[in-house]
Amino acid sequence: MTGKITFGILGLGVGALGVVLPLLPAFPFLMLAAFCFGKSSEKLDRWFKGTKLYKNNLETYVKGQGMTWKAKIRVMVTVTLLMLFGFLIMFQKSLYIPCAILGAVWLFHILYFCFGVKNHVVKDKPVK
């Protein structure tokens, strides 16, 4: 149980950094935190699901409603930049087969987020 709480806190911390730092993806780390908190304690699970970080990044995806295009683009750009960094290092060292594999993974990632993840449309609240 303490291992799940530790990984949840770690995922939450790195996920929070990912919201601020453009090269660090928040989504997978927040998913880790949600999973770990959900399995470790009902109280932690309720607390995490009440945070703005969860509501802005994961809530609609976890409910099966998909992600907004803004969130999808943020994830795709972040992962693309990180993969590009690895690709350039491998290409510089003439590692062409790993470059091709990384390119295929990148392509799958883009296709998945464009066509595999539902689009969540945010409805505007009426002005009073």
Side-chain angles (χ1 to χ4, degrees), residues 17-93:
L17 283 174
V19 170
V20 179
L21 301 173
L23 289 178
L24 187 63
F27 187 77
F29 294 107
L30 294 176
M31 285 295 286
L32 172 68
F35 175 78
C36 290
F37 288 153
K39 295 290 182 185
S40 65
S41 157
E42 283 186 40
K43 186 176 179 181
L44 276 175
D45 187 45
R46 277 193 314 274
W47 169 79
F48 180 64
K49 288 181 178 176
T51 64
K52 187 176 179 183
L53 198 59
Y54 176 84
K55 291 178 187 262
N56 290 344
N57 292 286
L58 291 177
E59 187 172 48
T60 58
Y61 182 78
V62 171
K63 287 181 177 178
Q65 298 171 347
M67 297 173 75
T68 63
W69 269 106
K70 181 180 177 182
K72 284 182 179 186
I73 290 170
R74 187 174 56 231
V75 169
M76 288 188 290
V77 167
T78 302
V79 171
T80 297
L81 291 174
L82 288 170
M83 287 183 152
L84 179 63
F85 178 72
F87 182 87
L88 292 174
I89 289 173
M90 288 188 297
F91 190 79
Q92 185 180 25
K93 296 184 182 266

